[in-house]
Amino acid sequence: MKRNFSIFTRANVASVSGRHRSLQILAAIACIGLLSALLAACGGSSGSAVQSDSQVTDTTQTQPTPFSPETGGNTAYNLGNTSQNVIDQCMSENDKLMLTQVNTARSQPRSCGGENYPATDALSWHCTLEDVAYAHSRDMGDYNFFSHTGSDGLTVGNRVRNAGYDWSAVGENIAAGQETIDTVMAAWLDSAGHCANIMRSVYTEFGAASYSVDGSDYPVYWTQVFASPRL
């Protein structure tokens, strides 16, 4: 069992206005949508969750330009405003690759399930969000389930807040089975809700992790967590 940076996914979208209120939508083959506050992802193999203090809408296509980092240093990566302290504290080369792919996607306009998103600012890595992502990937792998709701019944908003991150907006993408960052990113960008999470300008910080495990339905489970702190 190890932390990594993975074909089946579900979508869970929630909106919170004023007080905590979470609703879960699961999408396998069919698309399910609830106007404006809720819109489930659809597209076979991807899943997304959103919680926000202000109303947000969920909405594939156009995967990011393949990225080939140069050897040495961080100049070949797009790490947004991630501080050197954070890079040194918790970022692996795979973390840098994942954040670079997300920021490359955000750097160009794209259509997510027919809804157009403009290019937006790069995200910065956050160690706490990475820890939350890893814990959920491991939870899914160890307990052999696939859902935005953890084995303890908590949602992404609960998990992030319990980790000490006071968020104003938070979202989550999950996946299972993909073996590389390239393939999982392509799957997420080819699904409306996940693509929308990646492109939302409301988010400023990000963490992601995958977990490899023997004996579960899938050999690897992936989680991305997007958030903005409460100011």
Side-chain angles (χ1 to χ4, degrees):
M1 299 177 185
K2 59 183 179 180
R3 184 186 300 217
N4 298 307
F5 257 117
S6 237
I7 280 196
F8 179 80
T9 60
R10 289 180 180 174
N12 165 9
V13 178
S15 174
V16 176
S17 180
R19 70 183 191 279
H20 263 67
R21 168 167 78 83
S22 64
L23 298 173
Q24 182 179 23
I25 303 288
L26 300 182
I29 298 175
C31 292
I32 302 174
L34 299 179
L35 298 177
S36 149
L38 298 177
L39 190 64
C42 177
S45 298
S46 307
S48 68
V50 173
Q51 291 181 302
S52 177
D53 283 340
S54 58
Q55 190 177 50
V56 295
T57 55
D58 258 314
T59 68
T60 315
Q61 240 151 3
T62 316
Q63 63 191 68
T65 304
F67 184 79
S68 299
E70 298 172 5
T71 303
N74 297 314
T75 56
Y77 298 104
N78 183 351
L79 307 183
N81 292 320
T82 306
S83 70
Q84 189 61 50
N85 180 58
V86 168
I87 293 170
D88 294 341
Q89 178 183 348
C90 65
M91 291 194 78
S92 67
E93 292 304 302
N94 279 336
D95 295 338
K96 295 174 186 177
L97 283 170
M98 175 64 84
L99 181 57
T100 293
Q101 289 236 11
V102 169
N103 284 339
T104 298
R106 288 169 66 89
S107 71
Q108 49 196 287
R110 77 185 51 246
S111 173
C112 298
E115 183 162 347
N116 294 324
Y117 285 79
T120 190
D121 294 337
L123 300 175
S124 298
W125 193 265
H126 197 285
C127 298
T128 298
L129 299 181
E130 177 187 8
D131 290 344
V132 171
Y134 175 70
H136 189 58
S137 292
R138 181 168 184 169
D139 189 31
M140 290 190 292
D142 285 350
Y143 290 94
N144 196 21
F145 72 95
F146 188 79
S147 174
H148 290 285
T149 302
S151 61
D152 55 5
L154 299 181
T155 66
V156 61
N158 303 137
R159 291 189 288 272
V160 172
R161 195 157 269 149
N162 288 349
Y165 185 110
D166 187 17
W167 52 266
S168 61
V170 66
E172 180 179 79
N173 286 344
I174 59 174
Q178 294 88 345
E179 295 182 356
T180 68
I181 293 170
D182 287 346
T183 56
V184 75
M185 279 296 296
W188 278 325
L189 286 169
D190 198 39
S191 173
H194 314 96
C195 173
N197 266 348
I198 290 168
M199 293 301 296
R200 280 197 179 92
S201 60
V202 67
Y203 300 135
T204 59
E205 296 179 323
F206 175 77
S210 67
Y211 179 70
S212 295
V213 60
D214 296 326
S216 289
D217 290 341
Y218 299 92
V220 60
Y221 292 79
W222 299 79
T223 304
Q224 291 181 322
V225 179
F226 307 82
S228 293
R230 188 185 303 278
L231 301 177

